[in-house]
């Protein structure tokens, strides 16, 4: 028995998408792909609900019986924001001026990893960044 596609409304946050085609003869992934095109929410992050029923990824389930033309479905999920371009372009050592190179080489490179010492090295480097600890250690060396 071929059913005609339903025209449903989908409410997502403050937005409402009207007349979204919903064909229960097709897999639910296709419907979720339409919602992705409208909202930017990845299908794996979508939760689509009707009163008392949730749309599964691979099966229409009980929501199939609730679908009628004009019904409003609720979608929850967040759209992934695209990464933004860095505010400062990276400068490579080869492209640095003499002054930039001198200041870059003034910063210590870190500690050498000797087997399983990476966690200790990271801890020591973090402690080095604490000014109060650095000043206290300098005082101990002077005495």
């Amino acid at each position: 028995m071929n059913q005609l596609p339903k025209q449903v409304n989908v409410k997502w946050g403050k937005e409402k998408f009207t007349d979204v085609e919903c064909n229960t003869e097709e897999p639910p992934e296709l419907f979720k792909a339409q919602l992705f095109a409208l909202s930017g929410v990845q299908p794996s992050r979508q939760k689509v609900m009707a009163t008392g029923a949730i749309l599964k990824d691979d099966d229409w389930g009980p929501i199939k019986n609730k679908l009628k033309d004009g019904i409003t479905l609720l979608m929850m999920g967040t759209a992934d924001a695209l990464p933004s371009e860095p505010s400062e372009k990276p400068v490579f050592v080869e492209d640095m001026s003499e002054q930039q190179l001198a200041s870059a080489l003034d910063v210590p490179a870190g500690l050498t990893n000797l087997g399983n010492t990476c966690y200790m090295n990271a801890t020591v480097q973090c402690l080095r960044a604490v000014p109060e600890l650095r000043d206290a250690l300098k005082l101990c060396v002077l005495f």
Side-chain angles (χ1 to χ4, degrees):
M1 170 171 118
N2 277 343
Q3 295 180 354
L4 292 174
K6 310 277 193 266
Q7 300 296 320
V8 299
N9 302 317
V10 179
K11 186 173 181 339
W12 173 59
K14 294 180 181 177
E15 296 198 45
K16 187 171 185 179
F17 307 111
T18 57
D19 298 328
V20 179
E21 186 174 298
C22 182
N23 187 354
T24 55
E25 298 293 317
E26 299 287 336
E29 292 94 8
L30 184 64
F31 180 66
K32 287 190 169 193
Q34 289 177 342
L35 297 179
F36 170 62
L38 292 169
S39 66
V41 178
Q42 292 285 340
S44 61
R45 299 177 59 112
Q46 294 176 9
K47 186 172 186 180
V48 181
M49 299 171 283
T51 307
I54 297 175
L55 176 63
K56 299 182 187 327
D57 290 334
D58 55 351
D59 182 36
W60 286 97
I63 203 169
K64 184 176 184 177
N65 299 329
K66 296 182 181 285
L67 291 176
K68 294 179 178 42
D69 278 328
I71 190 173
T72 298
L73 302 176
L74 176 65
M75 182 177 78
M76 293 173 43
T78 55
D80 295 330
L82 295 174
S84 60
E85 187 176 320
S87 57
E88 277 187 38
K89 297 281 184 192
V91 179
F92 298 98
V93 175
E94 301 85 28
D95 301 330
M96 288 184 176
S97 67
E98 296 273 337
Q99 184 181 6
Q100 289 173 321
L101 191 58
S103 68
L105 294 177
D106 191 32
V107 177
L111 303 171
T112 305
N113 187 12
L114 305 171
N116 283 338
T117 61
C118 58
Y119 292 112
M120 184 195 68
N121 290 346
T123 303
V124 170
Q125 290 179 53
C126 287
L127 291 174
R128 183 186 183 281
V130 179
E132 296 85 3
L133 180 61
R134 222 177 26 234
D135 293 342
L137 289 174
K138 284 179 188 176
L139 285 175
C140 291
V141 173
L142 294 176
F143 289 111

